[in-house]
Amino acid sequence: MSGIFRWLFGGSSAREPKAPDTVRGEPRSKAAAEPEPDIIRMADPSLPGQLYFAQLERFTSSVSAKDYVTAAAAARASLPLLRDWLKDPQGDGQRLDIRIPALSQGGTMMAIVGDRDGLCELRDLVQSFDHLQAYRDEAEEHFVDLDLFDRLREAIRANPGILQSRIRTVLGVDDARRSSRLISYLEKSGEVRRANSGKTYELYLADAEMPKAAAATIYNEPARPGSHRRDRGAGRPYELDPKRVSIVPLPPSPNAWEQPVEMPATEEAFADPQGSWSEIVVEPIAKSDRPDPGFRRHYSTRGGALSFDDLAKSEASLGAPGAVMFSDANGRPGTPVPLHRDAYHISVHPEGEGFALRSKSGVMTVYRGDLGIDFETDLEAAPEVVTNRERLGLPESEAHRALRCIALTPDRDRYLFTHVDEAWCVNREGERLWGLRMPAKEPTRIRVGGSSFGTAAEIDQALEVMGLQMPVTPDEIRKRYRQLVRELHPDVNPGNEERMKAVNVASERLTGLDPEQLDGSGGGEAGFEIVISFGPAAEADWIYAAAFSGTGETALLGTYAGRVVRVDCSGSLTTIYEVGSVPVRIVETESFLYVMTTTRLYVLDGDRLIALHDCSPKCDLLVSGGMVLLVEGKGVRVFTEDGQPMGIALTKAPIRRAYVHNGAVVVETRTQRGNFRGVRAAPKRPGDPFQASPMRPS
């Protein structure tokens, strides 16, 4: 579902979750739900009709299942529906500027299946309406792709084993990225097989003979292991009721910033732009010890760090779907080990040893600390998955999308997995311990306007306006707001209208709730919302992130609605944290909880917010050695364990690995290692110190 909305609203949306029914256990008054904002429903001419969105769902699920024939048909079926929408004069002047997959990736699907008539219809559509002007160049490019697909097939048929690096020359194509992208589509569709050959691939048509040496480099998934479950029947999940638990509203994060959080650039091998470190010691890395760029995903553990080659780019992954490598606390890397199955989803507990992987086919493999296999189980065969699939009417082709997350306790004695809106906890002996189902969402609401989003700097300013500082709890914000309302109300103290307005904006940015929800008076600033309905599976609150706590006693689940749900060891709900957008990473140590969205990192101690930082969707989160690292392509932002800024470490070359060793932040590029030692003083934060201009949520 998140993919649909990224497509639909240009990569981001100012979506605000429905206000919670309780705030720290206090019920909202009946008036607090009024007035309802104006609702733009699917019949509104600013959006295409419901039939279009049904085809959009068919299109996205078909692309995901690599059924390109059905995807092309769904894209073409969307075209007359889009024409009817654009012909409706009622929509003039108020049409939403949405992204239309049928005209972009849909055109590629028509090109790969050879639907020239469909591409002609697409081109005629975008030429007929100014609203689609942005798609006109792309519509012409689809015809080029149509020709290139045929020429690629013919070149591979005539030259079995041709190197992908040579295909551009053979075809006379200048754009190497374009030819690689089209070859990738042919491989996904099953028409072409690619065998590793050094840094490139040998290409064969699927029905062509392949030398044994080439075939040995292609991974073939092992047989399914079956389920280790003892329970043959599906249990009944506990239905989450938000009205009965403590809700912690946090400063909401948008899905994207208008101006992304960016590191400054440097021409030095290693740089300290804030003067935070006493010294930077640079040393060359011996050729034999240089980090392999194929290992691109890193996770901290109790004894060191795990690095994964999840795209099978390293030598260790030859003939395998990927590889894993463990580096000890001193940063010394061990021998890479090939993975047994593909790493479609990775779960590493920061306080444990070993890890778990879920393959795209739904098999979970648990590995020990020595990187050997502990046990396997087929999650697709779990009775709860079968029952939930039937409940939601999901086709089997959607299986890999419906199974979302896995998580492992530090001792690997329990694991949990999620299927759409349900989470199930099972012990290693295969016994079901508990199950939980998220409440069905109302039709997805995308709020347009409002002041609930603020940058980290604006959150600091909001706290100052309220006379507060971190750490702070929602209860303290609420009590302080009521106190200020009593002091500044015009009937009591005239002339404070501007101050009262500033307090209202500050309180909304700190909690995501409008002022009337904070003081219980009802009402609220009326904006408008877009309401979109796709059916039972889409309206379920999908679980997108999961983790066990630092001790492994409780579990945390992050949902599409922007909630992080804490569940105790018996499966009972204890707390809901509202963060405003989809959590992408949840890490809890024995001391602190870290929740990361695509735009923000929250650091919490219980229900106390102790730190908050804006971040980039490209950064990785590492919690190790008493520090928190946000690692990007050429820079690392460093914080104390409780989220206080320590400094920034920059590089000229791309970062291959970053970790903490003996209190120093170690950053490795391909050829050099920089040790950032001795923090001089924590830098002051005027928001993000390296941000060129203020960000705004898009």
Side-chain angles (χ1 to χ4, degrees), residues 259-340:
Q259 298 174 336
V261 178
E262 293 181 346
M263 292 279 189
T266 181
E267 291 301 315
E268 301 177 54
F270 297 91
D272 174 12
Q274 296 176 331
S276 304
W277 313 97
S278 298
E279 63 175 346
I280 304 175
V281 178
V282 179
E283 56 188 355
I285 302 176
K287 191 172 182 179
S288 58
D289 295 334
R290 290 177 182 174
D292 187 334
F295 291 86
R296 65 184 192 120
R297 302 183 68 178
H298 309 279
Y299 298 82
S300 55
T301 70
R302 181 186 300 162
L306 287 163
S307 301
F308 292 88
D309 167 21
D310 60 324
L311 298 179
K313 297 291 187 181
S314 64
E315 290 185 11
S317 67
L318 194 66
V324 61
M325 177 175 61
F326 178 75
S327 301
D328 64 21
N330 296 317
R332 290 189 294 264
T335 302
V337 175
L339 295 175
H340 187 56

Side-chain angles (χ1 to χ4, degrees), residues 344-356:
Y344 192 68
H345 187 95
I346 301 172
S347 174
V348 177
H349 198 290
E351 302 289 348
E353 295 181 346
F355 59 95

Side-chain angles (χ1 to χ4, degrees), residues 424-624:
W424 296 90
C425 184
V426 180
N427 65 22
R428 64 176 296 118
E429 286 74 36
E431 297 173 324
R432 181 178 57 238
L433 302 179
W434 54 261
L436 180 70
R437 180 184 297 162
M438 300 298 160
K441 293 186 302 174
E442 294 182 3
T444 299
R445 295 171 181 263
I446 300 172
R447 182 171 174 180
V448 179
S451 349
S452 56
F453 296 116
T455 65
E458 289 170 333
I459 297 302
D460 287 342
Q461 293 166 5
L463 286 169
E464 188 176 345
V465 167
M466 299 282 286
L468 298 169
Q469 61 182 5
M470 293 187 195
V472 66
T473 67
D475 267 350
E476 291 167 348
I477 294 171
R478 188 183 188 107
K479 291 175 181 177
R480 179 60 176 162
Y481 177 78
R482 288 174 173 171
Q483 178 186 352
L484 290 172
V485 168
R486 288 193 296 269
E487 294 176 1
L488 301 174
H489 196 282
D491 292 345
V492 177
N493 196 349
N496 284 295
E497 288 79 4
E498 290 303 315
R499 176 80 196 284
M500 190 69 247
K501 185 184 296 184
V503 167
N504 284 337
V505 171
S507 63
E508 189 171 357
R509 283 181 174 162
L510 291 172
T511 64
L513 306 176
D514 62 46
E516 288 74 12
Q517 289 172 300
L518 279 168
D519 69 9
S521 64
E525 178 185 352
F528 72 90
E529 293 177 331
I530 304 161
V531 180
I532 303 175
S533 177
F534 289 96
E539 298 311 329
D541 192 4
W542 288 52
I543 301 171
Y544 275 81
F548 279 99
S549 66
T551 61
E553 290 302 309
T554 65
L556 295 127
L557 307 168
T559 77
Y560 182 78
R563 293 169 170 164
V564 175
V565 176
R566 185 183 293 278
V567 186
D568 68 18
C569 57
S570 67
S572 298
L573 189 65
T574 61
T575 310
I576 296 177
Y577 305 91
E578 292 273 5
V579 297
S581 61
V582 185
V584 295
R585 188 87 186 275
I586 302 171
V587 174
E588 187 168 51
T589 64
E590 293 188 5
S591 303
F592 301 104
L593 169 63
Y594 306 90
V595 177
M596 190 174 181
T597 69
T598 55
T599 57
R600 181 157 287 164
L601 172 67
Y602 300 85
V603 185
L604 294 123
D605 179 5
D607 65 352
R608 298 165 67 238
L609 178 64
I610 58 176
L612 173 151
H613 300 282
D614 299 329
C615 63
S616 160
K618 297 179 181 179
C619 69
D620 195 10
L621 170 66
L622 293 176
V623 182
S624 177

